[in-house]
Amino acid sequence: MLLSRLQKPAGLSVTLCLYLLALPANVLAESSENTQQTQSSREILLAELAEDESVQDVEQSEPLQGSRTSGKKTTPEIKSIQPEAAPTPNKVAPDIDLKEVAPAPAPEPPAEPGSDKIPDSTATEAPPEEAAPEPEKAEPASDLILLGNEVLPGTSTRLAWSPGIQIAGLSQPTPVLVVNGANTGPTLCLTSTIHGDELNGIEIIRQTLYDLDPAKLSGSVIGIPIVNLSGFQQGSRYLPDRRDLNRYFPGNPNGSLAGRIAHSLFTNIIQHCDMLVDIHTGSLKRTNLPQLRADMNNPAVAEFTRGFDRMAVVHSSGSPGMLRTAATDAGIRAVTMEAGESLRVQEHQIDAGVNSLASLMEKQDMVSRMFVWGNPEPVYYDSTWVRADHGGILFSDVKLGAKVSRGQVLGYVADPITNAQHPIHASSDGRIIGMAVDQVVMAGFAAYHIGTEAKIPGE
Ligand SMILES: [Zn+2]
């Protein structure tokens, strides 16, 4: 198969040219792989092209602890932090049927930081869905106060979050979707596109939020489909200053651009959450089987992962500055969900994410699902990355999700000049839970992520 590819010189050279054009970013990314992030102390002016959570975080994770009691990290108290009080009286947010086609949000008027704004709701007179709370369910919920708005029980709405770092007159608020259930329950937050080129999570959040019926929901769900709006608009993973927002949480109100955005998001929204699912994709041309990254040494987080049906769960203690790390430190049960590739919208990955979030909400007694097939559970993995030992063009022989055995050839790195072919072998039995797409690689490039099924720690 590989030989036949190499026997087409014309096609190959065109492909090669394209690959070489894309090479510098890859090379930069790989060369900074060992740079430890010390985000709080150092100003980093160059692009922070670290390997993403897919590689770096998993490899740098603390090992699983056999005994939970010996853990360095103790279980933080849930909800130990009080959200900042809103400085001005809250306005009642308009009740919007999120499934209705909405008008474009009005441009944000220049405003004092922290002041209120309500998105244009003129065309959003939602048909009054049965506002009556479910009689058989327990206590009715209270108002949800968020971003200077009061979201009444049994309603859903769109709010706007502004980190206040832009030119005021040009500022574009970030949409925040809120469903406040008619009955009491926990607050689940869903964030996506902290890396602006990661698209699957946008649709996972849209489908999840739009399918919720506020009258039947216990608790509330807050969704921010596109956290990094400027990166999203440019198809870039990073912020305008080339920083990786997911290394700056919980942020600093007097820090860098990234630190300020992180602080604003964290204090205005994340601190309202009991649970957080931060949705990502593979980056740098890698793709992931839908999976969770979770600190399994944290008992509250480990228990939380059990609600996600059919998800692969990989232990990863999380790096400083990641949203999920900062949230966990603040007592919020938080995981990262990885689904697919960046810059693509992938239906299967989206379906897997939506279904798993539905099962999570059911296990948290927030919704009751009509259809459940069997009793699916998450699958826990230990994992290792297999790296290329030679530079060249990577051609894979295996597909994402494939079962592999130790020693099996997963793919080849072909040197386009010498014709040398270097096979890459599986380092262990397991399943391909993440892998690079075919591309130009340098020696050391993390090409295959092999997961080996493992028990939950402490069981
Ligand atoms: Zn990401």
Side-chain angles (χ1 to χ4, degrees), residues 52-53 194-195 197-198 237 246 279-283 338:
D52 57 355
E53 173 154 15
I194 279 183
H195 297 131
D197 61 349
E198 301 180 354
R237 175 178 173 84
N246 206 26
I279 308 173
H280 288 256
T281 72
S283 66
E338 296 268 350

Coordinates of all heavy atoms in Angstrom, one line a residue, residues 52-53 194-195 197-198 237 246 279-283 338, ligand 1:
D52 N -0.6 19.7 23.0 CA -1.9 19.9 23.6 C -2.1 18.9 24.7 O -1.2 18.1 25.0 CB -3.0 19.8 22.5 CG -2.9 18.4 21.9 OD1 -2.0 17.7 22.2 OD2 -3.8 18.1 21.1
E53 N -3.3 19.1 25.3 CA -3.6 18.2 26.4 C -3.5 16.7 25.9 O -3.2 15.8 26.7 CB -5.0 18.5 26.9 CG -5.4 17.5 28.0 CD -6.4 18.0 29.0 OE1 -7.0 19.1 28.7 OE2 -6.6 17.3 30.0
I194 N -12.3 26.9 23.7 CA -11.2 27.7 24.3 C -10.0 27.8 23.3 O -9.3 28.8 23.3 CB -10.8 27.0 25.6 CG1 -11.8 27.3 26.7 CG2 -9.4 27.4 26.0 CD1 -11.5 26.8 28.1
H195 N -9.8 26.7 22.6 CA -9.0 26.8 21.4 C -9.8 27.0 20.2 O -10.7 26.2 19.9 CB -8.2 25.4 21.3 CG -7.3 25.2 22.5 ND1 -7.3 24.0 23.1 CD2 -6.4 26.0 23.1 CE1 -6.4 24.1 24.1 NE2 -5.8 25.3 24.1
D197 N -9.9 26.8 17.1 CA -10.0 26.0 15.9 C -10.7 24.6 16.2 O -10.7 23.7 15.4 CB -8.6 25.7 15.3 CG -7.6 25.0 16.3 OD1 -8.0 24.9 17.5 OD2 -6.6 24.6 15.8
E198 N -11.2 24.5 17.4 CA -11.8 23.2 17.8 C -13.3 23.3 17.7 O -14.0 24.1 18.5 CB -11.4 22.8 19.2 CG -9.8 22.7 19.3 CD -9.3 22.3 20.6 OE1 -10.1 22.2 21.6 OE2 -8.1 22.1 20.7
R237 N -6.1 28.4 17.0 CA -6.1 27.8 18.3 C -5.9 28.9 19.4 O -6.5 28.7 20.5 CB -5.0 26.8 18.4 CG -4.8 26.1 19.7 CD -3.7 25.1 19.5 NE -3.3 24.5 20.8 CZ -3.9 23.4 21.4 NH1 -4.9 22.9 20.8 NH2 -3.5 23.0 22.5
N246 N -5.9 28.2 27.5 CA -6.0 27.0 28.5 C -4.8 26.8 29.3 O -4.6 25.7 29.8 CB -6.5 25.8 27.7 CG -7.2 24.8 28.7 OD1 -7.9 25.2 29.6 ND2 -7.2 23.5 28.3
I279 N -14.9 21.1 26.6 CA -14.8 20.2 25.4 C -13.7 20.7 24.4 O -13.7 21.9 24.1 CB -16.2 20.2 24.7 CG1 -17.3 19.8 25.7 CG2 -16.2 19.2 23.5 CD1 -18.7 19.9 25.1
H280 N -12.9 19.7 24.0 CA -11.8 20.0 23.1 C -11.8 19.0 22.0 O -12.5 18.0 22.0 CB -10.5 19.9 23.9 CG -10.2 21.1 24.8 ND1 -9.4 22.1 24.6 CD2 -10.8 21.4 26.0 CE1 -9.4 23.0 25.6 NE2 -10.2 22.5 26.5
T281 N -10.8 19.2 21.1 CA -10.5 18.1 20.1 C -9.0 17.9 20.1 O -8.3 18.7 20.8 CB -10.9 18.6 18.7 OG1 -10.0 19.6 18.2 CG2 -12.3 19.1 18.6
G282 N -8.6 16.9 19.4 CA -7.1 16.8 19.2 C -6.6 18.1 18.5 O -7.4 18.8 17.9
S283 N -5.3 18.3 18.6 CA -4.8 19.5 17.9 C -3.6 19.1 17.1 O -3.1 18.0 17.2 CB -4.5 20.6 18.8 OG -3.4 20.2 19.6
E338 N -12.6 15.2 25.0 CA -11.9 15.3 23.8 C -12.7 14.6 22.7 O -13.1 13.4 22.9 CB -10.5 14.7 23.8 CG -9.5 15.3 24.8 CD -8.7 16.4 24.2 OE1 -8.7 16.5 22.9 OE2 -8.0 17.1 24.9
Ligands
ZN1 ZN -8.2 22.2 22.9

